[in-house]
Amino acid sequence: MESKKYLEDISQIKDLMSRSSRFISLSGLSGILAGIYAITGAVIAYIFLLPDTYSEVVLHSWNFRMIVGILIAVAVLSFVTAYLLTSRKAKKNNEKVWDDTTKRLLINFLIPLVTGGIYILIKLNSQHYGLTGSLMLIFYGLALVNASKYTIGNIKYLGYAEIVIGLICAAFPGYGFWFWVIGFGLLHIIYGSLMYFTEQKG
């Protein structure tokens, strides 16, 4: 009996150590809303900025600036929503939102993301537009996988899915817009929904 209790104590200690080194308050609802924001932004861009299937959006054009504005708006809305919902969940679970683990998570998330953003800007400046959607998906997926070791959950699988969609998008660059919608819109909604229902069961 004592041996069994000893093993249970060790297991609990390991679990506490693992939880203390991982950020556990990510909200599934924030993933759903991020997907909705992405799809809404894509619909606006498709209706008002891409009226002609054969038209090109070139750097420094009005259309390009508006699309960048939509991308920034989607990113900011997603970040703010994630922060607010995650903060609410953390308070409910008596957890800290900002600590060393959160810092490590953000650093590991931002390194691939910022690197990818700079690389995309370099390619755009060289007038290489075809792989923009693919590169966004791939680097975002890499950022999720890189940050996943600092959070509990299956966010790495979302990262893997984004990378796969990005690679498929690279093989069919003419459909980059639709792959972007699938990756940033549909996949977020699916993952966020699964995470949300898991939270409700817990």
Side-chain angles (χ1 to χ4, degrees), residues 77-110:
L77 276 172
S78 299
F79 177 80
V80 171
T81 300
Y83 177 79
L84 292 175
L85 293 177
T86 297
S87 298
R88 187 178 69 176
K89 185 180 175 185
K91 289 178 181 178
K92 184 179 178 181
N93 296 335
N94 293 319
E95 299 164 357
K96 291 183 178 180
V97 178
W98 186 257
D99 56 16
D100 290 338
T101 303
T102 315
K103 293 176 186 176
R104 288 193 292 269
L105 185 150
L106 285 176
I107 290 172
N108 281 270
F109 178 73
L110 289 174

Side-chain angles (χ1 to χ4, degrees), residues 3-156:
S3 176
K4 184 177 180 181
K5 186 176 184 302
Y6 177 71
L7 291 173
E8 288 178 353
D9 289 342
I10 291 178
S11 178
Q12 289 177 358
I13 291 170
K14 288 175 66 177
D15 183 60
L16 285 171
M17 290 177 66
S18 175
R19 290 171 68 86
S20 67
S21 64
R22 291 168 178 256
F23 189 74
I24 62 177
S25 291
L26 292 173
S27 169
L29 185 57
S30 65
I32 297 172
L33 291 174
I36 292 173
Y37 297 151
I39 291 175
T40 302
V43 169
I44 293 172
Y46 185 78
I47 293 174
F48 297 104
L49 303 174
L50 301 171
D52 185 354
T53 306
Y54 301 100
S55 64
E56 290 186 357
V57 178
V58 297
L59 196 66
H60 305 308
S61 68
W62 178 83
N63 286 33
F64 179 82
R65 288 195 293 269
M66 292 301 296
I67 289 173
V68 170
I70 290 173
L71 289 174
I72 292 173
V74 168
V76 170
L77 276 172
S78 299
F79 177 80
V80 171
T81 300
Y83 177 79
L84 292 175
L85 293 177
T86 297
S87 298
R88 187 178 69 176
K89 185 180 175 185
K91 289 178 181 178
K92 184 179 178 181
N93 296 335
N94 293 319
E95 299 164 357
K96 291 183 178 180
V97 178
W98 186 257
D99 56 16
D100 290 338
T101 303
T102 315
K103 293 176 186 176
R104 288 193 292 269
L105 185 150
L106 285 176
I107 290 172
N108 281 270
F109 178 73
L110 289 174
I111 288 174
L113 201 67
V114 172
T115 302
I118 294 172
Y119 181 70
I120 289 170
L121 289 175
I122 292 171
K123 298 299 287 182
L124 288 174
N125 196 49
S126 301
Q127 297 185 352
H128 294 154
Y129 306 108
L131 295 178
T132 302
S134 173
L135 291 171
M136 290 176 71
L137 290 163
I138 291 171
F139 278 104
Y140 177 62
L142 290 172
L144 291 175
V145 173
N146 201 45
S148 65
K149 55 183 173 288
Y150 295 107
T151 182
I152 290 176
N154 297 320
I155 197 170
K156 63 183 177 182

